[in-house]
Amino acid sequence: MNKFWKFGATAGLAAVLLAGCGDTATPEEDVETPAEPPTEVAEVEYPVTIIDAVGDEIVIEEEPEAIVSMIPSNTEIAYELGLGEKMVGVSDYDNYPEETADVEKIGGQEFNVEKIISLQPDLVLAHESGLGVGDAGLQQLRDAGLDVFVVQNAASFEEVYDSITEIAQATGTMEAAEKLVSEMEVQVAEIEELAATIEEPKTVFLEVGSQPDIYTTGSGTFMDEMLTLINAENVAGELEGWVIMDPEAIVAANPDVMITTEGDYVEDAVGQIKKRGGFAEVTAVKEDAIYSLNSDMLTRSGPRLTAGLMEMAQAVYPDVFNE
């Protein structure tokens, strides 16, 4: 049996988006929860049959008591659903909540098949982003009799809500999922409502990597959707996915605001942007409108996305969202 198999993250900047995760605490916002939460939530009755991201029909005979998560977003969802005490294994990149520090680590982009099997989990939460490079390892887990559920690679808030619901169906936590999704929807709606009052939308450049090339996020990504939600324009919006953008093209776009997610692992990330050739004439540089935001809350497809959305809104429109 091969001990290690590669397990990737989202295409393009997997290592940056996973390894470059900081410990920034989620900001507390005065956000109202629904006045009347759902009064009836369908309980999960076992055995339960669910279809995962690869179309496999997974039959879970009993409520899982031991769970392994192979990617941080799955872990953050699981903890928010109240499954913390059932987590027996998480990835090397997991850093939130802080309790994950005490959970057995099963590897990062290369996951330890034998380690996972030794933990005897009732459920393994894999992720669609790892398909192609981690298929053989996942099959070994299945061959060992483990239930492996591949969570979809969500690229929008709606798809995150779906992922939360799917994990809840597998783990018998539908009531917690209904509450969580409802709270996130309210938070997003309140931010959208405030953003709608903005009369002059700003242009924004999002930098998610700088070495050796400058990476940004185009359409089909959370961060692009976030800019739309806060009524701002992504200067790379015509591009798709995680892409390289030429420095001259960034200067030509002349963004009003620049955001970097490298601040937790690149020394003086904001200062480095200011020093680039030609950038002195960019509006964001001249007006000192360059901000370093936590990568985890902007890229992990989990419950903290709404906190990341608020941080982005506060950076781009401080006069509107910091009142």
Side-chain angles (χ1 to χ4, degrees):
M1 178 185 293
N2 291 330
K3 187 174 182 180
F4 290 95
W5 288 94
K6 291 184 179 298
F7 192 83
T10 51
L13 289 184
V16 171
L17 297 181
L18 290 174
C21 299
D23 295 321
T24 303
T26 303
E28 296 182 2
E29 304 295 343
D30 296 327
V31 179
E32 296 180 1
T33 56
E36 297 182 4
T39 56
E40 294 185 7
V41 179
E43 295 183 0
V44 176
E45 296 183 2
Y46 293 91
V48 61
T49 300
I50 48 181
I51 308 298
D52 71 1
V54 296
D56 287 347
E57 185 176 277
I58 313 298
V59 179
I60 302 176
E61 298 292 342
E62 298 178 345
E63 183 175 332
E65 296 297 330
I67 302 170
V68 165
S69 171
M70 303 184 72
I71 196 168
S73 57
N74 287 347
T75 304
E76 295 194 17
I77 291 173
Y79 271 87
E80 197 66 29
L81 294 177
L83 298 167
E85 293 185 358
K86 295 185 177 183
M87 304 303 294
V88 296
V90 296
S91 83
D92 291 354
Y93 297 114
D94 281 85
N95 58 2
Y96 187 90
E98 61 183 18
E99 290 86 347
T100 57
D102 299 323
V103 181
E104 290 284 347
K105 301 302 184 290
I106 53 88
Q109 289 179 290
E110 294 185 350
F111 61 87
N112 189 327
V113 173
E114 293 180 352
K115 177 69 171 180
I116 295 173
I117 294 174
S118 73
L119 295 173
Q120 300 181 313
D122 302 314
L123 177 66
V124 176
L125 295 174
H127 199 265
E128 187 179 11
S129 62
L131 300 180
V133 290
D135 290 359
L138 294 179
Q139 189 57 49
Q140 284 192 352
L141 297 178
R142 297 186 185 99
D143 292 341
L146 302 182
D147 285 330
V148 177
F149 182 78
V150 181
V151 178
Q152 67 172 334
N153 187 21
S156 68
F157 278 87
E158 287 298 328
E159 290 180 355
V160 170
Y161 303 152
D162 290 340
S163 295
I164 291 171
T165 301
E166 290 171 352
I167 292 175
Q169 289 173 336
T171 58
T173 54
M174 282 300 296
E175 184 174 355
E178 291 278 359
K179 182 176 183 293
L180 173 58
V181 170
S182 181
E183 289 175 348
M184 293 179 70
E185 288 176 333
V186 167
Q187 292 166 354
V188 171
E190 290 184 348
I191 291 172
E192 276 191 289
E193 183 178 1
L194 194 54
T197 66
I198 297 167
E199 297 180 355
E200 297 183 7
K202 294 182 180 180
T203 57
V204 182
F205 176 72
L206 302 166
E207 184 167 309
V208 296
S210 60
Q211 297 295 330
D213 299 303
I214 298 175
Y215 272 86
T216 188
T217 59
S219 61
T221 64
F222 282 118
M223 297 170 77
D224 180 69
E225 182 184 20
M226 286 175 168
L227 287 178
T228 298
L229 290 171
I230 67 170
N231 197 11
E233 179 184 348
N234 184 0
V235 299
E238 294 184 359
L239 305 176
E240 185 175 354
W242 306 93
V243 293
I244 296 173
M245 193 163 180
D246 187 85
E248 293 183 0
I250 300 171
V251 173
N254 192 29
D256 298 313
V257 178
M258 298 183 70
I259 292 173
T260 174
T261 62
E262 292 192 298
D264 290 325
Y265 49 93
V266 171
E267 184 177 356
D268 191 20
V270 171
Q272 290 191 33
I273 292 174
K274 293 179 178 180
K275 296 175 183 177
R276 288 178 187 153
F279 275 55
E281 297 305 312
V282 173
T283 298
V285 177
K286 290 191 295 184
E287 298 186 359
D288 198 26
I290 306 175
Y291 305 97
S292 176
L293 301 185
N294 181 264
S295 175
D296 297 354
M297 291 195 293
L298 297 180
T299 60
R300 288 183 179 178
S301 51
R304 291 196 292 165
L305 276 179
T306 51
L309 179 64
M310 177 56 81
E311 284 206 346
M312 180 183 288
Q314 291 172 331
V316 177
Y317 298 113
D319 294 339
V320 177
F321 288 93
N322 284 329
E323 294 182 353

